[in-house]
Amino acid sequence: MLKEQRHDIILSELDHKNLITIDELVFLTKSSKSTVHRDIDDLVTRHLLYRVRGGVMKSNPVLNAVDTNNKSEPPFHIRQDMYLEEKQRIAAAAHQYVKPNETLFLDSGTTVHEFSKTLYDIKPLYIATNDLNSAITLAAFTNIELNVLGGSVRQTHYSLNGYFTEYMISQMHADTAFIGIDAIDFNIGCMNFSTSEVQTKRLMMKHSHMNIVLCDHSKFESVAFVNMCKLTDIDLLITGSEVNPDYTDQLKHLGVNVLTV
């Protein structure tokens, strides 16, 4: 069955019932769970449905408020479920680049947050983050000495930014910064939706020996508002195997070290 046919079946079924489980979609489309999850990712990106645990619902008012022609960013609670399995693979791959006794910057973002969940087994670690969700996760791990970079809260995204955040970063140095981004342009570099977050990300990269960008494949097909850094500022970019191979080939041609997982 073609992808477009599966999408039609899913959307048609949502016209009749508000909630459909993954198992129901597997039966309806006669597809594997992995195929259904990819279809859901596509439809979520197009704002045609809303992912919930174990299934999907019709698009909710919050999701409908995100206009794809308006270069805005969905809030955290929507983004965290988008491409979740891919983000978890990226997080697991990033884990191998952390060693005991290292100092890390963890930037804001859903993929970096997934990465934070993997750090419970490396002892000890010294981590500074401006992401409230990651801070809550890391605070439960006894192997981590945690510093939360205080500042002004970006509402619905739970990142801390501004003068106090930047001052704290300027007094630190990390072995590695794990950075989240909103978009990649091969001519411009990495981009971000929020002007308030850009300087935070730049300072983390400036004060780190190694900079690792974590991003799902959708960032290669997005456009964001603010230039953040050049591609040559990245030591390693980790993304999902869903990415178009042409994109990774272009990055490698530009001298960027890329890992697909």
Side-chain angles (χ1 to χ4, degrees):
M1 185 182 296
L2 296 175
K3 179 172 70 173
E4 290 75 13
Q5 292 175 310
R6 297 194 303 271
H7 289 186
D8 288 343
I9 290 173
I10 294 170
L11 296 174
S12 176
E13 190 69 12
L14 277 176
D15 286 337
H16 300 291
K17 53 194 300 188
N18 188 50
L19 173 65
I20 311 175
T21 68
I22 298 297
D23 288 339
E24 287 177 302
L25 293 178
V26 168
F27 175 77
L28 288 168
T29 61
K30 297 179 175 59
S31 304
S32 66
K33 283 190 176 182
S34 60
T35 297
V36 166
H37 280 294
R38 286 195 295 270
D39 288 338
I40 290 172
D41 287 340
D42 290 340
L43 294 169
V44 166
T45 302
R46 293 162 56 191
H47 314 306
L48 295 175
L49 53 75
Y50 177 55
R51 185 195 301 274
V52 295
R53 191 167 299 278
V56 295
M57 297 179 67
K58 290 182 179 179
S59 298
N60 70 1
V62 175
L63 194 57
N64 286 336
V66 180
D67 180 2
T68 56
N69 294 317
N70 179 15
K71 309 306 181 187
S72 59
E73 182 183 15
F76 181 91
H77 77 276
I78 291 175
R79 291 183 292 116
Q80 67 178 342
D81 285 335
M82 297 172 67
Y83 314 113
L84 179 57
E85 192 272 335
E86 179 185 0
K87 292 174 182 178
Q88 290 169 340
R89 276 186 276 122
I90 294 168
H95 181 274
Q96 67 181 301
Y97 292 94
V98 182
K99 297 180 177 60
N101 290 300
E102 286 192 330
T103 301
L104 312 178
F105 280 134
L106 264 60
D107 180 32
S108 60
T110 56
T111 307
V112 178
H113 179 228
E114 288 302 318
F115 169 64
S116 74
K117 298 176 184 179
T118 72
L119 297 174
Y120 60 88
D121 62 344
I122 304 175
K123 182 178 182 178
L125 288 176
Y126 306 91
I127 297 178
T129 184
N130 69 319
D131 186 274
L132 291 176
N133 290 294
S134 291
I136 291 170
T137 296
L138 295 167
F141 299 160
T142 57
N143 60 310
I144 290 173
E145 182 176 313
L146 177 65
N147 284 279
V148 181
L149 301 168
S152 299
V153 178
R154 186 183 177 204
Q155 293 184 344
T156 77
H157 293 77
Y158 310 111
S159 65
L160 297 162
N161 304 281
Y163 172 80
F164 294 107
T165 312
E166 294 165 16
Y167 178 77
M168 291 181 71
I169 296 171
S170 71
Q171 303 305 304
M172 299 177 176
H173 183 83
D175 294 296
T176 308
F178 291 89
I179 303 295
I181 61 174
D182 293 328
I184 293 178
D185 183 280
F186 296 106
N187 296 313
I188 298 172
C190 297
M191 296 180 288
N192 201 70
F193 283 112
S194 170
T195 56
S196 65
E197 290 184 348
V198 165
Q199 187 61 12
T200 304
K201 295 173 185 288
R202 287 174 177 169
L203 279 175
M204 283 185 176
M205 296 177 74
K206 179 180 178 181
H207 288 264
S208 297
H209 178 70
M210 183 177 187
N211 296 311
I212 299 179
V213 168
L214 309 180
C215 68
D216 67 74
H217 73 282
S218 69
K219 303 303 188 295
F220 290 85
E221 299 170 355
S222 303
V223 176
F225 183 53
V226 189
N227 297 344
M228 191 194 85
C229 70
K230 298 177 181 178
L231 293 174
T232 51
D233 295 327
I234 301 170
D235 295 296
L236 175 65
L237 186 146
I238 306 177
T239 190
S241 56
E242 294 86 347
V243 69
N244 186 327
D246 290 342
Y247 296 154
T248 53
D249 287 346
Q250 288 185 63
L251 286 175
K252 292 173 182 177
H253 180 73
L254 294 169
V256 181
N257 188 15
V258 182
L259 174 64
T260 56
V261 294

